[in-house]
Every structure is written in C-alpha cells, then in structure tokens.
Amino acid sequence: MSKWKTKEQLTELLCNLVQIPSITGTEAEVYLPDFVVGELSSLEYFQQYPEHLKKNPTEDGRFFVTGLVKKNPDVKKTVILISHFDVVDVQDYGKWKENAFNPEKLTQLFYKQKDELPKQVQKDIETGNWLFGRGIMDMKCGITLHMAMIEQACEGVFDGNILLLTVPDEEVNSVGMRAAVPVLLEMAEKYNLEYTTVLNGEPMFMRYPGDQKKYIYTGSIGKALPGFLCYGKETHVGEPFAGLNANYMASLLTDEYELNTSLCDIVQGEITPPPTNLIQHGIKEEYSVQIPHRAVTLCNLFILDKTMDDIVSLLREKAEKVANKIIDSYKKHASEFSQYIPFNVPELEVSVLTYEELMNYAATNYGMEEVANLQSSVLNNRGKKDDREVTIEIADKLTILCKELAPMVVIFFAPPYYPAISSSKHPLIKDVVGKIEKYANDFHGIAFEKINYFNGISDLSYVGLQYPAESMKSLTANMPLWDKGYSIPLKELELFNVPVLNMGPVGLDAHQWTERLDLDYAFVTLLDILPVCINSLLTSNAAAAR
C-alpha cells in the first residue's frame, strides 16, 4: 500500500513534519530526524537494507539523515535529493503564535479571519489552495516531496540510485550540510556511487513584488558577512575633539555600504540584492561619559561570480573612502567649533587594515604566543556567545593589543560563509533543464524560466567550488574564527564538485507569519514533474564533465 502518492497523503505527511517545531538550535531540531527515519524505515526496501538509512551525527549534537536506494548493486549513477528541516522562530505570529506549527488549524483561522490579513494574502486565498504555517514552504514541503521520491525509488521507478539527504541548521550556520559532505564522499566509495547531480527542493522566490513566474535554478547565491571593527580615540565627552567616536566611524561605514548597488554582483543580467546591515553597536560594557572608542558594524553581502580577492579589494576601497570622509568631517567640525573656543585642530589619520594585516603586525611586535593566548582566552570563555559575537571579541581584543595603530578600521569576516555555485553551463544541467521546460509546457502549460542563482541562500553552496580552494585565502586569513570553531571542508568540496539544480514548490512570504504553500502546485503539478526531472538526470547522454 502506498504511503505518499496522493495529494491527501502528502498533505498529511507535510502537516506532521510542520507540527514538529524544529526551530534552529532547539530540541525539536534534534529529534525531527527520528521522525523521518521512522517513516522511511517502514518502506520494504529499508527493511531489507536497514544499513542504507542512517541518522548521522554532527559535531554539535545534532543529526542529518541519509537514505540510499540503489537500483541494483552494479548501478553507479546517483541523484542526491537535499533538504533542510530547521525553521526560523515564530515570534512574528503574534496572537496566532500558538498555532504556527498547526497548518490545518492556522489555515482555518486565517480563512475565517481573512479581513485581518494583508491585502495580497486575502487575494491569494480567494484564488488558490494555500496552506499556512511555519516551515510549510521553507522547506518541509521539499522534504515531503523527496520522501515521496524515495518511495518511488523503492518501487523501481528510476533508472538509477536516489540518495535522500536532509540536514539541520541551514537557517544559521549550515552545520548539517558542512558535516554531510565528507559523509557523502565516504558513501560514494562504500556503495560505488557516481553522483550526477545534487537536486535541492527549496521553494521558488519572487524576484519582485507580484512576480507570478515559475523558476528552475541552476545554482545558488553566495554570501559573506564582512565586518568593520572601528577603533577611534578615547576622550571625555566634554573634550570630543581630543578623541574620535567609534560609533560615528561605524555609522559612516554603514551609510557607505547600506543598499549600495556598487557592491552588488552582476552576472548575465542577474544581480544580487544590495548589502544591508545586520549588526552594529558600540563595544562598551557599561555607561560612562567616556566616548565609545570601539565599535563594530557587519553587513550581509551576496556574491555571484566575484572572487574573495575581488571582495576584499572592494571592501578596502569603501573603507578607505570612509576613512577620508571621517578625517574631512572631523576637520570641518573642529574648524567650525574653533571659531567659538580657539584651539589648534589636531591632526587626524585613520588607518585601514585587514584582519590578516593586523595579525601580522601583532605577531611581529608582540609575539605569536601573546596573540595565541589572546585568542584562546576568548574561545575558552565564550559561554553562550554565538559565532558572530566571538568573532567580534577576538578582533576587538587584537585591536586593543595594537591600539597604537588607532584610529583604525579593521576589515574581517564573520561566519557564516556560503560559496556561490552555478552549473548553468554544465552540459548535463543544460540538457535536463531543456527537457523539463518542454515537459512542463507540454503537459502543464507552465513556462519555466531558468535562473543561474537561487537567491534565497541554500545548502547547495556546499557541494562544490566555483574557484580553487587556494583562492579562499582572502576569506580564511581574515576570518578570526576560521579553524577555531568554524570552517568549511574546502578540500572535500573540491573533490565533491557535483553539478546542482533546484526545483521546488511555489510558496510565499518565507520567514514571515503569512508563510504559505500552494498545495495544488506542490502535490499535483510538481509531484508529476519531479520524477521526470530525476530520471532525466540519471539517463541523459550529455557529458558529465564540466
């Protein structure tokens, strides 16, 4: 008897998955893999080959699931279906918070109280079949469909092997996917697998308000988290021109990069969203009338094709521009104030350094042992601080050690880092995308549009590298936490190097309280197209080499 063949069966599975409140970092995220394994283990194939279904540990007490269905022992070609099961929190649901993980009840409430919903949501529910709930589109629908594909694989539908991979922590640091890559390499050797494609099931993202197009993605956008540690000069608030306020320095840096399209990456007409601030604050533990002379600002920076050398060079250019602006502004205000209280305007210089340059200076002038002790002290006493907080603290302590360089701006990177990846030119992907476009149009009247980069950030970033691992030195040397609690398996990614594709459901308002899924598209249309896509990836005669 089939488990996940009909729309009703799939909706039930999806609701069961959503009802597990697997917010990143919670206990529910830890035990959700047990549910997936429990459901899959009821399939006859995994009862015959239980060793093919595993709950694999990460280094931090979480787990990812692998489920391999081999066509027969001699078949090598394998499609990997990847998904993530963690979700963001539900604070934004307000009075509906207690039902955020109950799709059927929440949807009933929303349909009854639709006048309280945003106008666009009201329009949608009048014309479509939508199901609401946290994680419903991002991305437990993807897991649901992939489990259905595993059932079909167990029944011999596909002309090759299918490997399901579902991971935790995609929404924060991608611990799950980073831990999975070495395991995938081990499985390839153990089970004689040849990975043809990594197929993700992330939902489609609108490119502009009201976008109704259907997309298939041949890559995934990259992301860096650059930071600027500002060290000014301490002084009493009664003598502001005797110092330099670091909060002011940070604010000018934020003003320079915030929504600045000159920092966007553009490839074949596709453009990244401009950078925007994620963290900004003074580094001062308590109130006093001393000006804040240390501050930090971090921004989200999306990447398509730029190398890390390009990015560091661009960030330095912007920081140096701001440094000159700080100097000019300081002189201007000091000159104006001197008209009322005559004084000699002090000379001011603001240095711009990378974290790597600061490290080299510290090692030369204070010794590597002193630097290592400083880093160890922060790491050993991190407590519950997250990776961003620890990164900032290490950079801050190092600037204090080298305070003779102040005023200064230090450029660094904090976790997470997502490499950009695109398989748009890969012969296999080009061939299969063409076949899917034709099938979708012929049988469903859908005109897919191919996009080079999925713009929602995804774990596809960790299945290959666009540039050699050596080119990452500008990142690794400027990331205080690299190999000290955070890293990416760069060598394994070079070895893995599998083409990618993303084809997922239609959903709207990811990470918002109105997150919803188009049930008809997911469990009727896509349910029909997805097996065609998988078989095409397994049987295409297109060259498998880049």
Side-chain angles (χ1 to χ4, degrees):
M1 181 178 177
S2 68
K3 286 172 68 74
W4 306 309
K5 292 286 180 64
T6 68
K7 177 182 173 183
E8 291 71 27
Q9 290 173 324
L10 289 166
T11 301
E12 181 182 0
L13 174 60
L14 174 60
C15 288
N16 288 337
L17 282 163
V18 173
Q19 284 170 1
I20 301 173
S22 52
I23 297 169
T24 314
T26 64
E27 281 299 310
E29 186 191 23
V30 176
Y31 65 69
L32 186 144
D34 293 322
F35 174 81
V36 175
V37 170
E39 288 292 319
L40 291 174
S41 63
S42 67
L43 298 173
E44 185 177 342
Y45 177 89
F46 290 117
Q47 292 176 3
Q48 185 177 356
Y49 301 101
E51 70 277 10
H52 286 196
L53 179 61
K54 288 188 177 181
K55 191 176 78 166
N56 307 268
T58 64
E59 293 182 354
D60 63 355
R62 288 180 278 191
F63 301 91
F64 61 92
V65 176
T66 52
L68 171 65
V69 180
K70 286 214 75 174
K71 181 75 173 178
N72 65 57
D74 297 325
V75 172
K76 292 184 177 182
K77 287 190 175 182
T78 307
V79 169
I80 303 173
L81 306 178
I82 71 165
S83 60
H84 70 87
F85 52 77
D86 64 315
V87 301
V88 297
D89 66 36
V90 294
Q91 299 303 319
D92 53 331
Y93 276 82
K95 70 177 183 178
W96 291 293
K97 179 181 173 182
E98 66 179 34
N99 293 305
F101 293 110
N102 189 333
E104 292 175 320
K105 186 172 181 180
L106 182 67
T107 301
Q108 289 173 1
L109 288 172
F110 280 175
Y111 272 73
K112 288 178 181 178
Q113 303 171 31
K114 66 179 183 180
D115 290 343
E116 298 183 42
L117 304 178
K119 295 294 184 184
Q120 184 57 51
V121 181
Q122 292 183 38
K123 291 180 181 179
D124 288 341
I125 64 177
E126 288 172 0
T127 58
N129 184 12
W130 296 89
L131 193 64
F132 291 78
R134 174 59 80 230
I136 200 88
M137 63 165 286
D138 186 17
M139 69 165 295
K140 289 182 177 176
C141 179
I143 306 171
T144 301
L145 285 164
H146 288 178
M147 291 173 71
M149 295 302 102
I150 285 292
E151 181 182 26
Q152 292 190 28
C154 292
E155 296 170 350
V157 169
F158 301 114
D159 295 322
N161 312 316
I162 306 298
L163 172 56
L164 177 141
L165 170 67
T166 188
V167 301
D169 194 49
E170 190 268 357
E171 300 291 2
V172 181
N173 286 323
S174 285
V175 166
M177 192 63 201
R178 289 188 285 123
V181 171
V183 173
L184 294 175
L185 289 170
E186 291 171 7
M187 291 183 69
E189 186 173 347
K190 180 177 180 179
Y191 295 108
N192 194 26
L193 306 178
E194 177 188 315
Y195 298 133
T196 65
T197 311
V198 178
L199 178 60
N200 202 354
E202 290 276 7
M204 298 178 203
F205 274 56
M206 289 193 303
R207 302 184 74 193
Y208 51 84
D211 185 8
Q212 298 294 314
K213 293 180 180 178
K214 302 291 190 297
Y215 298 110
I216 186 167
Y217 305 89
T218 58
S220 192
I221 198 170
K223 164 188 166 144
L225 190 58
F228 302 88
L229 198 296
C230 302
Y231 197 119
K233 189 175 187 300
E234 62 270 30
T235 187
H236 191 283
V237 292
E239 298 179 309
F241 289 108
L244 180 61
N245 193 312
N247 281 351
Y248 176 63
M249 299 169 69
S251 69
L252 289 185
L253 281 160
T254 299
D255 182 61
E256 174 62 28
Y257 67 66
E258 183 70 20
L259 303 180
N260 188 338
T261 55
S262 70
L263 286 161
C264 293
D265 203 351
I266 304 173
V267 174
Q268 297 178 8
E270 294 179 30
I271 183 170
T272 60
T276 189
N277 178 266
L278 290 177
I279 295 174
Q280 180 176 321
H281 59 78
I283 305 174
K284 200 175 171 184
E285 295 183 1
E286 57 188 26
Y287 171 81
S288 74
V289 289
Q290 182 189 61
I291 67 165
H293 61 284
R294 299 176 349 265
V296 68
T297 177
L298 280 76
C299 72
N300 187 88
L301 183 67
F302 286 123
I303 308 163
L304 298 181
D305 200 39
K306 283 188 172 73
T307 66
M308 289 310 303
D309 285 347
D310 293 336
I311 290 166
V312 171
S313 177
L314 192 55
L315 293 173
R316 186 191 288 274
E317 175 189 320
K318 298 301 181 185
E320 288 176 346
K321 177 182 176 181
V322 171
N324 290 328
K325 187 174 181 179
I326 291 168
I327 294 168
D328 292 343
S329 177
Y330 176 88
K331 289 179 179 178
K332 175 178 176 292
H333 291 308
S335 177
E336 291 172 349
F337 188 71
S338 68
Q339 296 177 33
Y340 301 96
I341 301 178
F343 71 101
N344 293 324
V345 177
E347 287 295 320
L348 179 69
E349 292 185 6
V350 178
S351 302
V352 174
L353 304 91
T354 62
Y355 179 79
E356 180 183 19
E357 291 167 347
L358 183 65
M359 275 283 294
N360 291 337
Y361 176 89
T364 299
N365 290 273
Y366 296 97
M368 200 57 222
E369 184 177 353
E370 178 73 15
V371 174
N373 289 339
L374 180 153
Q375 294 171 330
S376 296
S377 176
V378 174
L379 294 169
N380 292 337
N381 296 283
R382 69 178 291 170
K384 295 184 178 180
K385 293 173 183 170
D386 72 11
D387 286 350
R388 271 63 53 190
E389 293 170 312
V390 176
T391 296
I392 292 167
E393 186 172 356
I394 292 175
D396 181 45
K397 298 298 185 187
L398 198 61
T399 59
I400 292 173
L401 179 66
C402 305
K403 59 183 179 295
E404 65 273 15
L405 297 178
M408 61 178 150
V409 174
V410 178
I411 303 166
F412 65 91
F413 291 98
Y417 169 68
Y418 290 80
I421 188 168
S422 177
S423 300
S424 61
K425 297 178 181 178
H426 195 289
L428 172 65
I429 299 303
K430 290 172 67 175
D431 180 60
V432 171
V433 167
K435 290 176 180 176
I436 294 304
E437 288 174 333
K438 185 177 188 307
Y439 182 87
N441 188 61
D442 289 348
F443 290 90
H444 297 282
I446 293 173
F448 272 122
E449 182 174 330
K450 180 184 75 67
I451 300 294
N452 292 322
Y453 298 91
F454 174 71
N455 62 345
I457 306 176
S458 80
D459 280 334
L460 287 180
S461 285
Y462 300 111
V463 299
L465 293 174
Q466 286 194 132
Y467 298 105
E470 293 178 358
S471 69
M472 294 292 173
K473 186 176 183 297
S474 292
L475 171 80
T476 59
N478 289 301
M479 183 177 279
L481 212 54
W482 187 263
D483 278 344
K484 297 177 180 63
Y486 180 86
S487 63
I488 296 168
L490 296 176
K491 291 181 179 179
E492 287 86 350
L493 293 189
E494 275 192 317
L495 289 172
F496 197 73
N497 196 32
V498 178
V500 303
L501 194 63
N502 189 99
M503 190 166 66
V506 172
L508 292 170
D509 295 351
H511 296 195
Q512 299 179 47
W513 63 274
T514 49
E515 180 179 355
R516 57 199 182 276
L517 175 76
D518 182 339
L519 276 177
D520 291 334
Y521 182 84
F523 296 151
V524 178
T525 306
L526 189 55
L527 181 64
D528 177 61
I529 297 174
L530 198 53
V532 176
C533 176
I534 293 171
N535 251 335
S536 297
L537 291 169
L538 290 166
T539 60
S540 172
N541 292 321
R546 286 187 186 277

